Amino acid sequence: MTEKSSATVEDAEPTLGVYNFSDRLFEQTVHFQVLQLKDSFFLWIGLQPSLANLAVALPAKFDSIPSTSALLGEFSDTTSCTLAQKLCKHTGKQVFVSCNLPTQDGMLLVEVEKRIHKEIKDNPDKFWL
């Protein structure tokens, strides 16, 4: 005689989500794409599709300043690292950032950062699971 076993199937929790938003800043349309991860997020920022760089920032266990590292692209361009570090400190989450904007336009970068903080404040559920 053989015994039949019954398996229980449970719905899996989503572990990935995507959120997009755009804004017109200084006569340019800036696009943002958030890849929601569990307790972290990936943020791509750009005027057109490209992934020229990538940085990560992690909360540091023994320091109030998050640790950062450039993972891809020109290592002398610290824009993505700086933004990742600020967002990590603000959210307390691990943050990946790819900022593909003209680095010589400091005012644009300031407005982009303000826009991101506003979006996180208004829609925190769109940034991490």
Side-chain angles (χ1 to χ4, degrees):
M1 217 184 216
T2 59
E3 279 186 43
K4 288 187 175 182
S5 63
S6 63
T8 305
V9 178
E10 296 178 18
D11 290 336
E13 289 288 322
T15 57
L16 189 69
V18 178
Y19 176 60
N20 299 297
F21 60 100
S22 297
D23 205 345
R24 191 108 175 116
L25 304 170
F26 293 108
E27 305 297 321
Q28 301 176 78
T29 301
V30 180
H31 304 283
F32 304 84
Q33 184 171 55
V34 179
L35 186 60
Q36 300 165 283
L37 307 165
K38 184 168 174 50
D39 296 323
S40 66
F41 62 94
F42 172 94
L43 175 63
W44 176 88
I45 309 156
L47 302 175
Q48 56 191 355
S50 74
L51 184 67
N53 58 62
L54 179 61
V56 63
L58 303 115
K61 190 172 186 176
F62 300 109
D63 196 347
S64 63
I65 299 171
S67 300
T68 62
S69 181
L71 303 175
L72 174 71
E74 183 61 46
F75 294 107
S76 62
D77 178 5
T78 60
T79 306
S80 291
C81 277
T82 302
L83 187 53
Q85 188 175 53
K86 289 178 180 180
L87 291 172
C88 180
K89 187 168 185 169
H90 177 76
T91 63
K93 308 286 185 188
Q94 179 180 1
V95 179
F96 296 88
V97 172
S98 178
C99 185
N100 302 280
L101 297 172
T103 57
Q104 65 273 17
D105 193 348
M107 290 305 296
L108 176 62
L109 295 173
V110 168
E111 290 303 311
V112 163
E113 189 175 338
K114 286 180 187 176
R115 182 63 177 91
I116 294 165
H117 283 287
K118 180 184 181 325
E119 199 68 28
I120 290 173
K121 182 181 177 203
D122 293 347
N123 300 295
D125 59 315
K126 302 291 186 186
F127 283 81
W128 52 85
L129 300 172

